[in-house]
Amino acid sequence: MHLTCVVGARPNFMKIAPILEAARASANITPVLVHTGQHYDEKMSQLFFNDLGMPAPDCYMGIGSGSHAVQTAKVMIAFDELLDQQPTDVVLVVGDVNSTLACALVAVKRNIIVCHVEAGLRSGDRAMPEEINRILTDQVSDYLFTTERQALEHLEKEGVPESRVHFVGNVMIDTLFKHRERAKERTILNDLGAISKGYALVTLHRPSNVDTLESAQNTMAALQEVVNRHPVILPMHPRTKGKLQQFGLLDTVTGWKNVTVLEPQGYLDFLALMDNAQVVVTDSGGVQEETTALGVPCLTFRDNTERPITVTNGTNQLIGLSATRLATALDDLLSGKTQVSDRRPELWDGKAAPRIIEILERLFV
Ligand code: UD1
Ligand code: UDP
């Protein structure tokens, strides 16, 4: 079976790595990796191939940044042309970025089987670009692999038959378990003069938190509450850096005494930073899941989450977009009023990718 796997943006690399590894181990599957180039900076792309020990992509499309329409359309055209050359029985896409939807749509129109890994997550917020990508990708996919049981309810409500849905667990957590020990060898804490469990790690990049002056100022107010209580380590996403620069706020953040602003970090260094953090404050989807797997408290600075399992069966708290509520949550963690849950989501056991490959073999080989 010729399996074409797609990556485009940072969180895709951690999701595809274990799938590729399991596919390569199968005598019946010939996997090919296509990188759309949605993310292209060394620190948003190449670094992850090194850290995860992934071979270079078989094809790099070099699409780059643009509006949603431009980026999605460019990926579609390039992927369509690629599929003219590349023998493909199944296209496998992960997550919810523009590259995910674009490639799924191209494949289904060519009558190629589409598999979506991380299907059925819903934030209920259609203003979030990823929510549109999730809904549409799931609609055009033939086989849907889910990370939590509630995903099936969302899919059934949208008319997806249960027979096409497979609950397999979380491939991102496969990657986390595989690399956690290696991350412990990193020197990043020492290099930064940070103390284990003595700092807050912050990542913020959602358009709803940084794209307008008003939202960026609100995010800064929240950050100020973290800074008032903890030394802060802040690896900054290029979207956030660009927007803060545009609003004239970047120098204020980098000027705060208690904050270390970093470039986006590689996977192993970032994992070391998460594992040793006292608390993580984020709006990232993947980071909500990883902190739950690590047992590190996570405060999500958003109004909604497509990953409620990390709240009900993990360490995540949904704070909303309120600096005051964030301050209270930080105080409650510091005082011990909030206890960190030791529950973990079902099947987040490091074996999701082999389950997916086993199912693909059963279905198509
Ligand atoms: C994308 C995903 C988002 C995901 C995030 C992961 C969509 C709709 N959004 O958001 O779900 O959480 O990736 O990090 O697909 N830029 C660079 N260098 C890069 C990449 C981007 O400087 O290598 C800058 C550009 O100015 C670009 C901006 O970041 O315009 C945003 O990039 P884009 O890929 O459009 O969206 P993200 O915010 O990264
Ligand atoms: N991550 C990383 N370096 C960073 C920030 C995040 O390696 O500086 C990793 C993180 O551990 C997770 C993934 O990137 O595996 C999450 O990606 P991101 O937050 O960009 O996207 P989202 O999950 O919100 O779509």
Side-chain angles (χ1 to χ4, degrees):
M1 189 230 295
H2 291 277
L3 176 70
T4 298
C5 299
V6 175
V7 289
R10 177 167 69 186
N12 296 163
F13 307 125
M14 290 52 127
K15 294 170 194 175
I16 219 72
I19 298 174
L20 270 182
E21 190 183 332
R24 288 211 177 89
S26 161
N28 302 310
I29 299 179
T30 310
V32 160
L33 181 62
V34 175
H35 185 342
T36 67
Q38 175 173 345
H39 283 176
Y40 43 85
D41 285 349
E42 199 254 339
K43 291 188 163 64
M44 296 297 286
S45 177
Q46 180 58 46
L47 200 44
F48 297 95
F49 285 82
N50 305 343
D51 274 8
L52 301 172
M54 264 201 299
D58 300 282
C59 169
Y60 182 76
M61 298 185 342
I63 299 303
S65 303
S67 69
H68 287 278
V70 167
Q71 190 174 58
T72 307
K74 279 187 173 172
V75 172
M76 286 184 69
I77 293 167
F79 192 57
D80 200 35
E81 285 170 359
L82 180 95
L83 289 179
D84 284 338
Q85 316 295 328
Q86 177 68 50
T88 300
D89 301 307
V90 175
V91 166
L92 183 146
V93 296
V94 295
D96 56 14
V97 303
N98 286 344
S99 302
T100 309
L101 172 61
C103 293
L105 196 46
V106 168
V108 71
K109 294 270 183 110
R110 295 178 71 111
N111 293 323
I112 294 173
I113 292 162
V114 180
C115 293
H116 183 208
V117 174
E118 201 186 87
L121 297 183
R122 296 290 181 270
S123 66
D125 176 4
R126 288 171 70 96
M128 196 180 179
E130 296 82 0
E131 184 76 350
I132 305 300
N133 293 342
R134 292 179 199 118
I135 293 169
L136 297 181
T137 303
D138 286 341
Q139 275 300 319
V140 299
S141 292
D142 297 281
Y143 294 95
L144 301 94
F145 296 100
T146 61
T147 56
E148 52 162 294
R149 287 195 186 274
Q150 210 189 336
L152 176 61
E153 289 169 31
H154 299 140
L155 293 169
E156 281 187 321
K157 252 188 231 156
E158 293 169 16
V160 177
E162 186 177 356
S163 57
R164 291 207 258 129
V165 182
H166 298 269
F167 172 44
V168 291
N170 192 326
V171 287
M172 208 173 208
I173 304 308
D174 290 12
T175 297
L176 182 122
F177 286 161
K178 177 168 179 190
H179 294 285
R180 191 176 186 182
E181 287 310 310
R182 280 181 66 218
K184 288 192 202 308
E185 292 160 19
R186 305 296 287 193
T187 60
I188 179 121
L189 258 71
N190 265 342
D191 299 348
L192 296 175
I195 297 165
S196 181
K197 303 299 167 188
Y199 62 89
L201 177 67
V202 178
T203 78
L204 295 159
H205 73 275
R206 294 256 93 82
S208 54
N209 276 334
V210 300
D211 268 14
T212 63
L213 175 61
E214 200 191 359
S215 64
Q217 280 171 334
N218 187 52
T219 300
M220 296 267 292
L223 188 56
Q224 180 79 67
E225 296 296 345
V226 192
V227 174
N228 288 345
R229 290 164 179 79
H230 301 268
V232 167
I233 298 176
L234 172 54
M236 198 177 275
H237 189 283
R239 171 186 287 279
T240 309
K241 188 173 180 186
K243 288 295 172 183
L244 292 184
Q245 232 155 12
Q246 181 187 330
F247 300 139
L249 296 171
L250 186 60
D251 289 345
T252 312
V253 179
T254 51
W256 278 339
K257 265 213 178 98
N258 226 11
V259 181
T260 308
V261 176
L262 303 175
E263 293 284 300
Q265 294 296 294
Y267 183 71
L268 295 174
D269 282 340
F270 191 76
L271 178 49
L273 288 172
M274 273 193 294
D275 214 358
N276 287 287
Q278 192 169 11
V279 59
V280 173
V281 177
T282 194
D283 57 14
S284 159
V287 171
Q288 292 173 63
E289 297 183 335
E290 290 168 337
T291 45
T292 269
L294 294 169
V296 171
C298 177
L299 303 178
T300 295
F301 195 66
R302 284 174 50 184
D303 276 332
N304 50 61
T305 178
E306 62 289 334
R307 291 159 162 95
I309 192 90
T310 60
V311 177
T312 55
N313 287 52
T315 62
N316 190 16
Q317 290 180 60
L318 190 58
I319 299 302
L321 296 180
S322 156
T324 316
R325 281 206 295 279
L326 181 63
T328 307
L330 288 165
D331 286 340
D332 288 350
L333 277 170
L334 276 170
S335 69
K337 191 172 163 194
T338 306
Q339 294 294 323
V340 180
S341 156
D342 57 5
R343 277 177 301 170
R344 299 290 174 264
E346 190 185 355
L347 293 191
W348 290 23
D349 58 0
K351 296 174 190 150
R355 283 188 198 105
I356 292 171
I357 294 304
E358 208 183 294
I359 293 166
L360 292 184
E361 286 193 313
R362 209 178 333 124
L363 286 168
F364 304 116
V365 177

